[in-house]
Amino acid sequence: MNLTILGCYAATPRTLTNPTSQVLEIKNRLFLIDCGEGTQVQLRKNKIKFSKINHIFISHLHGDHLYGLIGTISTFSLLGRTTDLHIYGPKGIKELILLQLRLTESWTTYDLFFHELESKESEVVFEDKRVIVKTIPLKHRVYTNGYLFQEKPDERKLNVEAVQDYDIHVAYYQKIKNGSDITLDDGTVVANEKLTFDPIPPKSYAFCSDTVYHEAVIPIIENVDVLYHESTFLESEAALAQKTLHSTAKEAARIALKANAKQLILGHYSTRYEGIEPFKKEAQEIFPNVLLGDDGVSFSF
Ligand SMILES: [Zn+2]
Ligand SMILES: [Zn+2]
């Protein structure tokens, strides 16, 4: 997986910082997660092909996660897009977008599909051969979901030397890669483990923004490889975090620890602070593997 942070600061866009948006690449698919103002400019700056984005996941209907969506939809049309675009987000998102398209008389050159969410339980919202995406219900001032992206396991890798040694016909290779044992002409059964290697273990990524400290997410994201968790505030503003239903860096770290995540990425920083280093410092008092998200930064895992 490859994650590019397009924006990870709270509230308003500023000269050098952008509101929430990120692109996740999984096995040649591009998923756009949240679409704050300026997302399309950030996509261009980071050289991400608009045409490869077919699925957009919106966490909640707050402007800093959403106000770039109508502009992005409109630009896709101006570029002559014809491929379907799927948008996942809270109930109301369809009305919000269609109203703007109608009043600006700017219909899309492609089909738009809305997948409106209102469940308070985690649910599968996207699935194909290689990837599955589930919601992570969060606790914020409005209805909000994070998203869990999971790769599906690859087929097993053929041990070419072994299959040749056993003189197994090529017609059986796919069956072997699917995990089957093989019976030779003399009746000997060759166990699959002798003919294959383990595939690369599937990876997972959880996006949790915006939310107050909310332990209900832990069973959903348990053992996740990489967790992006909002950390709007430092510990000095813990009371404000509670009041505005946001998290501190330490709270994000506590979720990572309890969920047994391998890696934590912080983001959604309040712009009241001079720099973001203190977020890492505070989080690492709880959980060691902390990386700072920042605009234009990519992570591969
Ligand atoms: Zn926000
Ligand atoms: Zn919000």
Side-chain angles (χ1 to χ4, degrees):
M1 292 192 186
N2 192 67
L3 175 72
T4 302
I5 310 279
L6 302 175
C8 67
Y9 288 79
T12 66
R14 297 187 311 165
T15 316
L16 296 173
T17 66
N18 298 276
T20 302
S21 184
Q22 39 185 260
V23 176
L24 182 68
E25 192 201 337
I26 311 176
K27 299 187 173 175
N28 222 14
R29 291 151 178 72
L30 280 192
F31 299 106
L32 183 65
I33 309 167
D34 277 346
C35 196
E37 210 176 327
T39 293
Q40 51 173 317
V41 178
Q42 283 295 91
L43 285 170
R44 283 196 192 279
K45 277 190 186 165
N46 289 279
K47 300 194 167 38
I48 291 159
K49 275 199 172 155
F50 289 9
S51 58
K52 284 188 79 182
I53 296 170
N54 297 329
H55 302 274
I56 302 179
F57 297 85
I58 300 293
S59 60
H60 65 302
L61 302 184
H62 275 163
D64 59 329
H65 299 252
L66 176 75
Y67 286 168
L69 187 56
I70 187 66
T72 302
I73 288 171
S74 161
T75 296
F76 283 2
S77 269
L78 292 172
L79 296 174
R81 179 190 177 103
T82 51
T83 320
D84 296 349
L85 181 67
H86 293 264
I87 295 173
Y88 307 79
K91 191 169 168 51
I93 196 165
K94 180 177 177 180
E95 185 187 349
L96 194 145
I97 294 300
L98 292 187
L99 177 74
Q100 293 175 89
L101 288 174
R102 183 160 56 79
L103 294 181
T104 55
E105 295 185 27
S106 44
W107 301 110
T108 56
T109 53
Y110 51 92
D111 286 335
L112 258 179
F113 295 89
F114 291 92
H115 305 263
E116 294 198 308
L117 310 172
E118 48 187 335
S119 173
K120 291 187 172 128
E121 306 290 328
S122 177
E123 59 181 337
V124 173
V125 288
F126 172 85
E127 183 168 12
D128 69 6
K129 269 196 327 209
R130 304 194 140 177
V131 183
I132 183 161
V133 186
K134 295 170 187 163
T135 57
I136 308 168
L138 300 173
K139 194 174 171 192
H140 191 43
R141 302 194 301 278
V142 295
Y143 176 74
T144 304
N145 285 298
Y147 295 97
L148 175 67
F149 298 81
Q150 294 170 304
E151 288 177 350
K152 290 187 177 173
D154 277 334
E155 55 187 22
R156 298 187 61 77
K157 297 230 177 304
L158 199 66
N159 181 341
V160 179
E161 241 172 65
V163 291
Q164 285 171 354
D165 282 353
Y166 283 108
D167 206 15
I168 295 170
H169 193 270
V170 65
Y172 292 100
Y173 286 5
Q174 189 56 48
K175 211 175 153 193
I176 296 170
K177 286 196 264 186
N178 292 344
S180 296
D181 298 337
I182 292 293
T183 308
L184 304 177
D185 292 343
D186 67 1
T188 319
V189 177
V190 185
N192 188 269
E193 300 87 80
K194 288 190 176 167
L195 304 172
T196 58
F197 300 113
D198 288 340
I200 298 164
K203 293 279 169 51
S204 55
Y205 171 68
F207 169 87
C208 292
S209 185
D210 298 352
T211 186
V212 74
Y213 179 77
H214 189 45
E215 291 196 347
V217 307
I218 293 167
I220 302 168
I221 64 169
E222 208 165 19
N223 300 322
V224 73
D225 288 290
V226 178
L227 166 65
Y228 173 94
H229 195 290
E230 77 126 287
S231 56
T232 308
F233 297 110
L234 293 171
E235 215 41 33
S236 47
E237 278 69 46
L240 189 57
Q242 196 67 36
K243 193 174 147 203
T244 56
L245 299 191
H246 282 296
S247 303
T248 65
K250 270 194 175 175
E251 288 169 334
R254 211 162 281 135
I255 294 291
L257 181 74
K258 291 192 175 187
N260 194 33
K262 291 189 184 68
Q263 182 73 58
L264 171 65
I265 299 175
L266 296 175
H268 202 269
Y269 316 109
S270 164
T271 50
R272 74 186 55 222
Y273 304 107
E274 289 274 308
I276 56 175
E277 253 335 291
F279 286 88
K280 186 174 181 178
K281 202 167 153 266
E282 290 195 356
Q284 280 183 325
E285 289 171 29
I286 310 274
F287 181 82
N289 298 332
V290 181
L291 292 168
L292 289 171
D294 209 350
D295 301 3
V297 172
S298 289
F299 302 97
S300 288
F301 46 95

